[in-house]
Amino acid sequence: FSGVLAEDVLRALLELQDELAAATAWAPGAGRNVSLRDVCYAPLNPTEPGVGDCAVSSVTQYFQNNGSRLALTAPQDDSSGRGTVDWHDHLIYCV
């Protein structure tokens, strides 16, 4: 894995998503600050969406947009021996 699928890039994407989720902007027409929850697509909670309800299309969604889940590892035994699985294996399994 390299390029956009490097762990440091995935962590940077997670940080950027957190910053965007917290961003607000003044909307003169509404007379108030608006945020992501005001404009996001939230099909499971369309009337009162929180940021966590917004549909996110990102490679980080394979880890529930959570850096702790990206860092998870687990021991694995198979016919080729013992090893440790990590985010690489999780991503391959998902796609």
Side-chain angles (χ1 to χ4, degrees):
F1 289 81
S2 64
V4 82
L5 289 179
E7 185 174 0
D8 60 328
V9 174
L10 294 174
R11 292 202 174 279
L13 287 171
L14 285 169
E15 288 179 28
L16 177 59
Q17 283 178 201
D18 287 344
E19 289 176 24
L20 292 173
T24 61
W26 178 255
R32 65 182 180 89
N33 280 330
V34 295
S35 66
L36 178 62
R37 61 180 244 144
D38 294 305
V39 297
C40 80
Y41 175 60
L44 299 179
N45 188 9
T47 55
E48 290 293 326
V51 172
D53 297 317
C54 299
V56 175
S57 296
S58 171
V59 67
T60 60
Q61 187 59 41
Y62 289 110
F63 310 99
Q64 292 77 43
N65 296 314
N66 183 312
S68 297
R69 293 181 192 241
L70 178 63
L72 288 175
T73 61
Q76 178 177 339
D77 293 321
D78 62 17
S79 60
S80 63
R82 301 193 85 195
T84 301
V85 295
D86 63 5
W87 70 271
H88 300 92
D89 304 284
H90 180 76
L91 191 58
I92 289 170
Y93 179 77
C94 288
V95 296

